[in-house]
PDB file of all heavy atoms in Angstrom:
ATOM      1  N   GLN A  14      -6.705  -0.672  12.352  1.00 90.00           N
ATOM      2  CA  GLN A  14      -6.925   0.289  11.384  1.00 90.00           C
ATOM      3  C   GLN A  14      -7.382  -0.322  10.036  1.00 90.00           C
ATOM      4  O   GLN A  14      -8.181   0.212   9.312  1.00 90.00           O
ATOM      5  CB  GLN A  14      -5.722   1.134  11.286  1.00 90.00           C
ATOM      6  CG  GLN A  14      -5.406   2.049  12.455  1.00 90.00           C
ATOM      7  CD  GLN A  14      -4.123   2.840  12.391  1.00 90.00           C
ATOM      8  OE1 GLN A  14      -3.373   2.691  11.344  1.00 90.00           O
ATOM      9  NE2 GLN A  14      -3.786   3.571  13.399  1.00 90.00           N
ATOM     10  N   LYS A  15      -6.631  -1.389   9.665  1.00 89.00           N
ATOM     11  CA  LYS A  15      -7.030  -2.129   8.385  1.00 89.00           C
ATOM     12  C   LYS A  15      -8.422  -2.624   8.396  1.00 89.00           C
ATOM     13  O   LYS A  15      -9.178  -2.497   7.465  1.00 89.00           O
ATOM     14  CB  LYS A  15      -6.046  -3.228   8.188  1.00 89.00           C
ATOM     15  CG  LYS A  15      -4.654  -2.845   7.746  1.00 89.00           C
ATOM     16  CD  LYS A  15      -3.743  -4.102   7.630  1.00 89.00           C
ATOM     17  CE  LYS A  15      -2.308  -3.670   7.352  1.00 89.00           C
ATOM     18  NZ  LYS A  15      -1.420  -4.719   7.190  1.00 89.00           N
ATOM     19  N   ARG A  16      -8.968  -3.119   9.556  1.00 84.00           N
ATOM     20  CA  ARG A  16     -10.269  -3.639   9.663  1.00 84.00           C
ATOM     21  C   ARG A  16     -11.215  -2.401   9.518  1.00 84.00           C
ATOM     22  O   ARG A  16     -12.317  -2.504   8.899  1.00 84.00           O
ATOM     23  CB  ARG A  16     -10.457  -4.360  10.937  1.00 84.00           C
ATOM     24  CG  ARG A  16      -9.763  -5.679  10.941  1.00 84.00           C
ATOM     25  CD  ARG A  16      -9.998  -6.551  12.114  1.00 84.00           C
ATOM     26  NE  ARG A  16      -9.183  -7.715  11.840  1.00 84.00           N
ATOM     27  CZ  ARG A  16      -9.192  -8.771  12.796  1.00 84.00           C
ATOM     28  NH1 ARG A  16      -9.909  -8.705  13.848  1.00 84.00           N
ATOM     29  NH2 ARG A  16      -8.498  -9.751  12.537  1.00 84.00           N
ATOM     30  N   CYS A  17     -10.895  -1.240  10.113  1.00 86.00           N
ATOM     31  CA  CYS A  17     -11.845  -0.136   9.945  1.00 86.00           C
ATOM     32  C   CYS A  17     -11.822   0.321   8.494  1.00 86.00           C
ATOM     33  O   CYS A  17     -12.881   0.723   7.966  1.00 86.00           O
ATOM     34  CB  CYS A  17     -11.360   1.000  10.893  1.00 86.00           C
ATOM     35  SG  CYS A  17     -11.726   0.755  12.697  1.00 86.00           S
ATOM     36  N   LYS A  18     -10.757   0.405   7.834  1.00 90.00           N
ATOM     37  CA  LYS A  18     -10.697   0.663   6.454  1.00 90.00           C
ATOM     38  C   LYS A  18     -11.578  -0.237   5.531  1.00 90.00           C
ATOM     39  O   LYS A  18     -12.344   0.187   4.651  1.00 90.00           O
ATOM     40  CB  LYS A  18      -9.321   0.735   5.859  1.00 90.00           C
ATOM     41  CG  LYS A  18      -8.510   1.893   6.443  1.00 90.00           C
ATOM     42  CD  LYS A  18      -6.969   1.977   5.908  1.00 90.00           C
ATOM     43  CE  LYS A  18      -6.130   3.060   6.522  1.00 90.00           C
ATOM     44  NZ  LYS A  18      -4.821   2.962   6.068  1.00 90.00           N
ATOM     45  N   THR A  19     -11.451  -1.561   5.907  1.00 87.00           N
ATOM     46  CA  THR A  19     -12.364  -2.562   5.190  1.00 87.00           C
ATOM     47  C   THR A  19     -13.794  -2.168   5.367  1.00 87.00           C
ATOM     48  O   THR A  19     -14.563  -2.341   4.446  1.00 87.00           O
ATOM     49  CB  THR A  19     -11.915  -3.949   5.727  1.00 87.00           C
ATOM     50  OG1 THR A  19     -10.598  -4.160   5.420  1.00 87.00           O
ATOM     51  CG2 THR A  19     -12.827  -4.975   5.008  1.00 87.00           C
ATOM     52  N   LEU A  20     -14.178  -1.699   6.574  1.00 86.00           N
ATOM     53  CA  LEU A  20     -15.624  -1.417   6.840  1.00 86.00           C
ATOM     54  C   LEU A  20     -16.096  -0.318   6.030  1.00 86.00           C
ATOM     55  O   LEU A  20     -17.299  -0.164   5.840  1.00 86.00           O
ATOM     56  CB  LEU A  20     -15.860  -1.180   8.273  1.00 86.00           C
ATOM     57  CG  LEU A  20     -15.853  -2.389   9.228  1.00 86.00           C
ATOM     58  CD1 LEU A  20     -15.912  -1.969  10.706  1.00 86.00           C
ATOM     59  CD2 LEU A  20     -16.992  -3.309   8.791  1.00 86.00           C
ATOM     60  N   LEU A  21     -15.232   0.637   5.532  1.00 91.00           N
ATOM     61  CA  LEU A  21     -15.661   1.745   4.706  1.00 91.00           C
ATOM     62  C   LEU A  21     -16.416   1.115   3.479  1.00 91.00           C
ATOM     63  O   LEU A  21     -17.341   1.738   2.954  1.00 91.00           O
ATOM     64  CB  LEU A  21     -14.457   2.586   4.344  1.00 91.00           C
ATOM     65  CG  LEU A  21     -13.953   3.392   5.488  1.00 91.00           C
ATOM     66  CD1 LEU A  21     -12.715   4.157   5.034  1.00 91.00           C
ATOM     67  CD2 LEU A  21     -15.016   4.323   6.026  1.00 91.00           C
ATOM     68  N   SER A  22     -15.852   0.037   2.828  1.00 90.00           N
ATOM     69  CA  SER A  22     -16.572  -0.480   1.711  1.00 90.00           C
ATOM     70  C   SER A  22     -17.904  -1.044   2.108  1.00 90.00           C
ATOM     71  O   SER A  22     -18.825  -0.990   1.244  1.00 90.00           O
ATOM     72  CB  SER A  22     -15.624  -1.509   0.973  1.00 90.00           C
ATOM     73  OG  SER A  22     -15.538  -2.694   1.879  1.00 90.00           O
ATOM     74  N   VAL A  23     -18.044  -1.559   3.214  1.00 88.00           N
ATOM     75  CA  VAL A  23     -19.364  -2.113   3.651  1.00 88.00           C
ATOM     76  C   VAL A  23     -20.343  -0.811   3.761  1.00 88.00           C
ATOM     77  O   VAL A  23     -21.447  -0.997   3.368  1.00 88.00           O
ATOM     78  CB  VAL A  23     -19.308  -2.798   5.041  1.00 88.00           C
ATOM     79  CG1 VAL A  23     -20.670  -3.182   5.541  1.00 88.00           C
ATOM     80  CG2 VAL A  23     -18.365  -4.031   4.885  1.00 88.00           C
ATOM     81  N   ASP A  24     -19.878   0.263   4.395  1.00 90.00           N
ATOM     82  CA  ASP A  24     -20.673   1.451   4.439  1.00 90.00           C
ATOM     83  C   ASP A  24     -21.135   1.932   3.110  1.00 90.00           C
ATOM     84  O   ASP A  24     -22.264   2.225   2.849  1.00 90.00           O
ATOM     85  CB  ASP A  24     -19.936   2.552   5.262  1.00 90.00           C
ATOM     86  CG  ASP A  24     -19.688   2.290   6.629  1.00 90.00           C
ATOM     87  OD1 ASP A  24     -20.312   1.420   7.232  1.00 90.00           O
ATOM     88  OD2 ASP A  24     -18.865   2.902   7.246  1.00 90.00           O
ATOM     89  N   ASP A  25     -20.279   1.985   2.189  1.00 93.00           N
ATOM     90  CA  ASP A  25     -20.447   2.386   0.782  1.00 93.00           C
ATOM     91  C   ASP A  25     -21.485   1.557   0.137  1.00 93.00           C
ATOM     92  O   ASP A  25     -22.364   1.970  -0.526  1.00 93.00           O
ATOM     93  CB  ASP A  25     -19.245   2.453   0.006  1.00 93.00           C
ATOM     94  CG  ASP A  25     -18.202   3.601   0.434  1.00 93.00           C
ATOM     95  OD1 ASP A  25     -18.621   4.467   1.105  1.00 93.00           O
ATOM     96  OD2 ASP A  25     -17.110   3.444  -0.004  1.00 93.00           O
ATOM     97  N   SER A  26     -21.351   0.245   0.314  1.00 93.00           N
ATOM     98  CA  SER A  26     -22.286  -0.852  -0.187  1.00 93.00           C
ATOM     99  C   SER A  26     -23.687  -0.579   0.350  1.00 93.00           C
ATOM    100  O   SER A  26     -24.631  -0.602  -0.436  1.00 93.00           O
ATOM    101  CB  SER A  26     -21.757  -2.192  -0.009  1.00 93.00           C
ATOM    102  OG  SER A  26     -20.567  -2.495  -0.660  1.00 93.00           O
ATOM    103  N   TYR A  27     -23.787  -0.456   1.571  1.00 92.00           N
ATOM    104  CA  TYR A  27     -25.021  -0.266   2.308  1.00 92.00           C
ATOM    105  C   TYR A  27     -25.648   1.074   1.705  1.00 92.00           C
ATOM    106  O   TYR A  27     -26.947   1.023   1.474  1.00 92.00           O
ATOM    107  CB  TYR A  27     -24.783  -0.153   3.834  1.00 92.00           C
ATOM    108  CG  TYR A  27     -26.145   0.134   4.568  1.00 92.00           C
ATOM    109  CD1 TYR A  27     -27.116  -0.870   4.780  1.00 92.00           C
ATOM    110  CD2 TYR A  27     -26.415   1.412   4.960  1.00 92.00           C
ATOM    111  CE1 TYR A  27     -28.216  -0.667   5.510  1.00 92.00           C
ATOM    112  CE2 TYR A  27     -27.636   1.725   5.651  1.00 92.00           C
ATOM    113  CZ  TYR A  27     -28.527   0.704   5.953  1.00 92.00           C
ATOM    114  OH  TYR A  27     -29.641   0.937   6.567  1.00 92.00           O
ATOM    115  N   ALA A  28     -24.932   2.122   1.625  1.00 95.00           N
ATOM    116  CA  ALA A  28     -25.564   3.381   1.127  1.00 95.00           C
ATOM    117  C   ALA A  28     -26.038   3.231  -0.262  1.00 95.00           C
ATOM    118  O   ALA A  28     -27.101   3.619  -0.586  1.00 95.00           O
ATOM    119  CB  ALA A  28     -24.452   4.489   1.226  1.00 95.00           C
ATOM    120  N   GLN A  29     -25.362   2.481  -1.031  1.00 96.00           N
ATOM    121  CA  GLN A  29     -25.721   2.245  -2.467  1.00 96.00           C
ATOM    122  C   GLN A  29     -26.966   1.328  -2.560  1.00 96.00           C
ATOM    123  O   GLN A  29     -27.888   1.672  -3.344  1.00 96.00           O
ATOM    124  CB  GLN A  29     -24.732   1.584  -3.306  1.00 96.00           C
ATOM    125  CG  GLN A  29     -25.045   1.493  -4.817  1.00 96.00           C
ATOM    126  CD  GLN A  29     -25.330   2.792  -5.515  1.00 96.00           C
ATOM    127  OE1 GLN A  29     -24.615   3.783  -5.304  1.00 96.00           O
ATOM    128  NE2 GLN A  29     -26.384   2.833  -6.161  1.00 96.00           N
ATOM    129  N   ILE A  30     -27.094   0.349  -1.580  1.00 95.00           N
ATOM    130  CA  ILE A  30     -28.325  -0.485  -1.564  1.00 95.00           C
ATOM    131  C   ILE A  30     -29.599   0.358  -1.205  1.00 95.00           C
ATOM    132  O   ILE A  30     -30.643   0.271  -1.911  1.00 95.00           O
ATOM    133  CB  ILE A  30     -28.090  -1.657  -0.592  1.00 95.00           C
ATOM    134  CG1 ILE A  30     -27.151  -2.659  -1.192  1.00 95.00           C
ATOM    135  CG2 ILE A  30     -29.463  -2.385  -0.338  1.00 95.00           C
ATOM    136  CD1 ILE A  30     -26.682  -3.677  -0.150  1.00 95.00           C
TER     137      ILE A  30
END
Side-chain angles (χ1 to χ4, degrees):
Q14 288 174 5
K15 287 178 184 176
R16 290 184 181 180
C17 288
K18 287 178 184 177
T19 301
L20 281 175
L21 291 174
S22 66
V23 174
D24 291 346
D25 292 342
S26 297
Y27 177 80
Q29 185 59 48
I30 290 168

